[in-house]
Amino acid sequence: MLADAFADAFPVLREVAYLNAGTAGPLPTVAADAIAAVARTGAHEGRATGYYDHLVELTPRTRAAWGRLLGAPPGEIALTVGASDGIARALALLDWQPGDHVVTSDEEHPGVEGPLGALIRRRGIDVTTAPWDDVAAAVRPTTKLVVVSHVSWLRGAVAALDAIGAAGAPVVVDAAQSAGAIPVDLTELRRHGVVAYAAAGQKWTCGPVGTGALWVDPSWAPDGGAGVWPTYGNLADPHGGLGAPPWPDARRLDAPSLSVELLAGGLAALDALEGLGWETIHREAVERAARLAERLAAAGADVAPRGPSTLVAWRHADEAAAAAFVATALEQQIVVRSFDGEPWVRAAVGAWTSDEHLDRLVALVARG
């Protein structure tokens, strides 16, 4: 079982039933070591040419690793500091006008709601928030964009991106709970109208907080975007003065001042997971999450409707009861999470989740 192979790679798993990759995945030793090695070099040798040469070496390798995971050419991958950063960058590619219509769902993360709310206030756009299953039906002939999560962060439902794309509007996807968790093929999603896909590096790819990736269809915003401001790393010739053009590929969308330390850790984690086999990781994680959902339901839990994802949520009496369960679980070294204003507790299951970890959670739920 793949979970056994993870036992030595992730120190937290030796004692803790860590079921919170939907917030931040377990950090592998190789990633922690890579971060520390770069930091030590900077401390002892300074952060001059050699330090930044390392940045130049890491960025194309990181793009390529994300490209292999998502099924996209490296030149279409921008490096960001998280999924929310990617969403904001994707939305900034459009020239928004008052009355422009956007559709989103009622199960979106603040990383989607925040940028859309800002566009309402600053540009006067019109946003329709539709029930998760009714997003496609809310699309109008004049809809400028759909912004939706691939997997609901609240309960693990999977968006019908084929139906949403068929409604006719381009689709920007929050991939925080899908990239690294379930199989993703951007070549296929592109055929369904997906024009941007924003991934988090700290969740299912187990990298450090402050890493991520953004795929953008090159034909969607070929001029570089109305609201994306290029800085040093985004310029093809940073010494070209005021006339310096941005890179013609996804490098124009990179977050500024990418951290050498975080890139090293993120790439180490991506390489380690790829070495174990993404296909196997995805299959085992989805299957184990499905089994957890079945076991929780059999134990009497009110499990939320979900899809073939890695998230499982179940209902408590109210927000306070859900938070109390999370606190009790933590005392027993079981890490799950609850949500402000919601009665749900959520477990995020990875291929690294052992049978013993699932047994501990189900036993705690069964005790009420």
Side-chain angles (χ1 to χ4, degrees):
M1 185 172 63
L2 195 58
D4 295 334
F6 282 107
D8 292 332
F10 294 86
V12 69
L13 301 179
R14 295 167 192 165
E15 302 291 337
V16 178
Y18 190 82
L19 295 158
N20 197 29
T23 298
L27 188 70
T29 299
V30 291
D33 288 348
I35 296 168
V38 174
R40 281 195 301 269
T41 299
H44 292 282
E45 300 178 13
R47 293 182 290 181
T49 302
Y51 179 85
Y52 283 99
D53 284 346
H54 198 27
L55 175 66
V56 172
E57 182 257 336
L58 286 170
T59 51
R61 290 174 56 198
T62 304
R63 274 184 234 284
W66 276 108
R68 290 191 298 273
L69 172 60
L70 300 177
E76 296 179 6
I77 300 291
L79 301 178
T80 68
V81 297
S84 299
D85 179 37
I87 291 292
R89 290 177 179 280
L91 294 181
L93 289 169
L94 297 180
D95 184 13
W96 295 98
Q97 300 298 320
D100 282 343
H101 183 239
V102 174
V103 176
T104 191
S105 89
D106 61 351
E107 297 190 24
E108 295 306 318
H109 188 273
V112 167
E113 295 174 334
L116 288 179
L119 285 173
I120 292 172
R121 295 186 296 274
R122 298 176 186 178
R123 298 298 181 88
I125 71 167
D126 175 21
V127 176
T128 296
T129 300
W132 178 268
D133 294 326
D134 297 332
V135 169
V139 175
R140 310 169 187 166
T142 57
T143 298
K144 188 165 186 170
L145 196 65
V146 176
V147 187
V148 68
S149 293
H150 196 168
V151 173
S152 166
W153 72 303
L154 295 174
R155 59 188 177 93
V158 179
L161 293 179
D162 52 350
I164 293 171
V171 185
V172 168
V173 177
D174 180 345
Q177 304 299 345
S178 55
I182 64 175
V184 173
D185 183 353
L186 288 176
T187 300
E188 178 67 19
L189 292 181
R190 186 176 181 178
R191 288 196 286 266
H192 294 314
V194 174
V195 295
Y197 200 79
Q202 84 279 13
K203 297 181 186 286
W204 301 99
T205 57
C206 300
V209 174
T211 57
L214 171 66
W215 172 82
V216 173
D217 183 339
S219 66
W220 180 51
D223 64 348
V228 177
W229 300 91
T231 58
Y232 186 95
N234 306 118
L235 299 174
D237 178 11
H239 305 294
L242 295 177
W247 288 107
D249 56 19
R251 287 175 289 182
R252 75 186 192 276
L253 299 177
D254 282 353
S257 300
L258 292 168
S259 163
V260 186
E261 293 85 353
L262 299 187
L263 279 173
L267 179 59
L270 283 164
D271 285 347
L273 293 171
E274 185 176 10
L276 291 170
W278 281 117
E279 182 178 354
T280 303
I281 288 171
H282 293 150
R283 184 183 64 252
E284 289 213 8
V286 171
E287 290 176 353
R288 296 180 74 73
R291 288 201 297 274
L292 174 62
E294 292 172 358
R295 293 184 62 189
L296 288 173
D302 180 8
V303 177
R306 55 184 303 277
S309 71
T310 52
L311 301 178
V312 182
W314 63 100
R315 184 187 295 273
H316 288 251
D318 52 30
E319 176 189 2
F325 179 89
V326 170
T328 299
L330 186 59
E331 292 173 355
Q332 300 186 33
Q333 294 190 296
I334 303 170
V335 182
V336 290
R337 72 158 294 178
S338 58
F339 305 90
D340 291 343
E342 298 287 344
W344 304 103
V345 172
R346 187 192 73 189
V349 179
W352 46 79
T353 306
S354 69
D355 289 337
E356 189 268 337
H357 291 167
L358 296 181
D359 291 343
R360 286 162 61 185
L361 175 60
V362 172
L364 183 60
V365 172
R367 288 201 295 270

